[in-house]
Amino acid sequence: MSPPPTWPERAARRLTPNYRPAPVVLTRGDGVWLYDQEGRRYLDFAAGIAVCALGHNHPDLTRAICDQARDLLHVSNLFLNEPAVLLAERLAALSFADRVFFCNSGAEANEAALKMARRYMRTVRGEDRYEVICAHKSFHGRTWAAISATGQPKYHEGFAPLVPGFVHVPYNDLAAMEAAVSPRTCAILVEPLQGEGGVVDAAPGYLAGLRALCDAQGVFLIFDEVQTGVGRTGRWFAHEWAGVTPDIMSLAKGLAGGVPIGATLCTDEAAQGFAPGAHATTFGGNPLACRAALAVLEVIEREGYLAHVERVGAQLGDALAALVAAHPAQVVGHRGRGLLRGLVTAPHVDRAAVVSAARERGLLLTSAGDDALRLCPPLIVGGAHVEEAAGVLSGVLGAL
Ligand SMILES: Cc1ncc(COP(=O)(O)O)c(C=O)c1O
């Protein structure tokens, strides 16, 4: 008799083949640690790709979810619920925004931002402005409009024709952005720090330059903070480092600490694009996700995690710089801010092999873009964890 199939074999047989998961079945998490079926322990510097802001099994988040599940899981947007209103008020208080649209993912939050901008130009201004200018190497999600906005051809393969009306220019090139703006432009959409593109920082003055350009041309500035928002860089939102605000901003990932949620934040002006009936989603603003997000925001504020992220993030940056100094043939630089960091590998380095070897030594991390290993641990990570992760990476790089 043949042995029963393993979990990876069962997954390979029944899940669609669009992912290539590591052969590890995670069953439990605690703080910055994850455990697999065999009880092996992993230091989590992936955090579900910048999602698990409070780590795993945080008591306040778990309690909020359980309490809300007992009270009320879902009502449609034909009615009001308290957590959605409270969360919109809280997000408005923390940001530039006057209003919030809730949905379920980053791609959806961007989809709403794009629809809002286009519809505003048509219905409020009466102008035929529909084009959105985006950046090369950007990533905005996998819905059709989101891949059309995304400036990476590999995500377009096989899906043509894309949604029309998107133009791409190099990131951090203000002159190229200026040249691309036309009477058809309705918005500029960028990440204030590119995540999937390889953890690429905005150059000094770039975001302020975009703000000035948008003001001069009467077009919306949209920041995609799906990966960078909610404390990841040491501020509530990464654009705060640049001292400018957008008209529209998308959030998701860390907002509810692992419960699916997306949010499109906007000014009163931009919100006019969404007249009653203009846009909707069944699960958006459901009380469970909103209650979870309220708990995440409360813990970040109460425990002073923004300052903590800045401090531990600087320590992580120093640790990466030390790795570059110690292994110059393997790693050639580092990028990023706070707890969203990229370690840049030399062209000959097989990053998938580094990620596997690190996992075998008990450290989870991911790749990003063409040349970076991404480190984005939970915001609660401590200095000792950073040292431990750097030690593992040093061992892996030394053995290449
Ligand atoms: C900047 C950015 N925008 C949008 C998305 C898409 O988010 P989701 O996968 O929740 O649709 C991502 C996901 O990685 C992202 O990093």
Side-chain angles (χ1 to χ4, degrees):
M1 219 172 68
S2 55
T6 63
W7 284 87
E9 284 164 353
R10 290 166 65 179
R13 165 116 182 78
R14 288 298 176 203
L15 297 175
T16 56
N18 49 314
Y19 298 113
R20 275 167 301 179
V24 171
V25 186
L26 298 167
T27 54
R28 191 166 70 80
D30 190 25
V32 296
W33 300 98
L34 282 166
Y35 298 83
D36 70 12
Q37 282 173 321
E38 273 81 49
R40 271 192 303 260
R41 189 172 91 142
Y42 302 90
L43 182 54
D44 185 10
F45 269 54
I49 316 185
V51 168
C52 307
L54 303 185
H56 306 282
N57 195 20
H58 191 287
D60 292 37
L61 179 55
T62 303
R63 192 178 320 112
I65 293 168
C66 292
D67 287 351
Q68 190 59 47
R70 259 181 240 109
D71 286 349
L72 184 65
L73 269 184
H74 176 79
V75 290
S76 74
N77 287 299
L78 300 173
F79 303 94
L80 295 171
N81 75 77
E82 290 173 1
V85 177
L86 289 169
L87 181 58
E89 288 175 346
R90 189 82 190 95
L91 288 171
L94 292 177
S95 73
F96 70 97
D98 301 308
R99 292 173 182 274
V100 186
F101 168 79
F102 289 118
C103 52
N104 314 288
S105 68
E108 267 188 89
N110 284 327
E111 190 86 23
L114 295 164
K115 286 178 74 176
M116 183 184 290
R118 255 194 203 178
R119 200 171 183 284
Y120 171 95
M121 293 298 171
R122 295 253 167 75
T123 63
V124 179
R125 282 230 217 127
E127 293 176 20
D128 193 30
R129 288 174 172 268
Y130 56 85
E131 221 163 61
V132 179
I133 312 174
C134 310
H136 291 164
K137 300 200 174 181
S138 59
F139 184 81
H140 300 295
R142 302 294 198 114
T143 62
W144 230 298
I147 59 166
S148 304
T150 292
Q152 301 192 56
K154 68 178 177 187
Y155 295 111
H156 301 160
E157 225 176 281
F159 294 119
L162 299 180
V163 176
F166 292 91
V167 175
H168 295 91
V169 298
Y171 191 62
N172 278 334
D173 186 339
L174 202 49
M177 193 64 90
E178 273 164 14
V181 173
S182 80
R184 293 181 302 282
T185 308
C186 76
I188 289 173
L189 165 64
V190 295
E191 297 152 83
L193 185 171
Q194 289 189 326
E196 299 303 306
V199 191
V200 181
D201 306 270
Y206 180 59
L207 300 179
L210 293 182
R211 178 70 272 174
L213 176 61
C214 287
D215 289 343
Q217 299 290 332
V219 306
F220 285 130
L221 180 58
I222 307 174
F223 285 154
D224 178 342
E225 293 240 20
V226 165
Q227 188 156 158
T228 52
V230 198
R232 173 85 10 220
T233 68
R235 293 285 183 273
W236 282 111
F237 310 107
H239 67 256
E240 292 173 39
W241 292 105
V244 296
T245 57
D247 303 291
I248 306 174
M249 169 172 75
S250 51
L251 296 178
K253 288 189 181 282
L255 180 55
V259 177
I261 191 170
T264 309
L265 282 65
C266 61
T267 59
D268 275 330
E269 184 69 28
Q272 293 177 66
F274 272 4
H279 193 54
T281 175
T282 297
F283 291 117
N286 77 83
L288 182 75
C290 292
R291 179 82 173 265
L294 283 165
V296 169
L297 298 178
E298 202 220 306
V299 171
I300 289 176
E301 180 155 65
R302 188 187 70 215
E303 303 294 328
Y305 277 131
L306 297 183
H308 171 84
V309 168
E310 200 177 342
R311 199 168 52 247
V312 182
Q315 197 180 334
L316 179 55
D318 291 346
L320 297 184
L323 286 173
V324 173
H327 305 279
Q330 285 78 33
V331 285
V332 297
H334 66 102
R335 299 187 288 248
R337 200 190 263 280
L339 289 172
L340 180 54
R341 299 277 173 171
L343 182 60
V344 184
T345 51
H348 66 86
V349 170
D350 177 352
R351 282 178 299 141
V354 173
V355 169
S356 300
R359 190 180 65 245
E360 276 154 25
R361 293 173 186 230
L363 172 68
L364 300 187
L365 71 159
T366 58
S367 281
D370 300 328
D371 64 356
L373 296 163
R374 173 174 39 193
L375 298 101
C376 55
L379 309 188
I380 62 168
V381 74
H385 303 126
V386 167
E387 295 311 316
E388 185 166 341
V392 171
L393 266 178
S394 188
V396 170
L397 294 171
L400 282 182

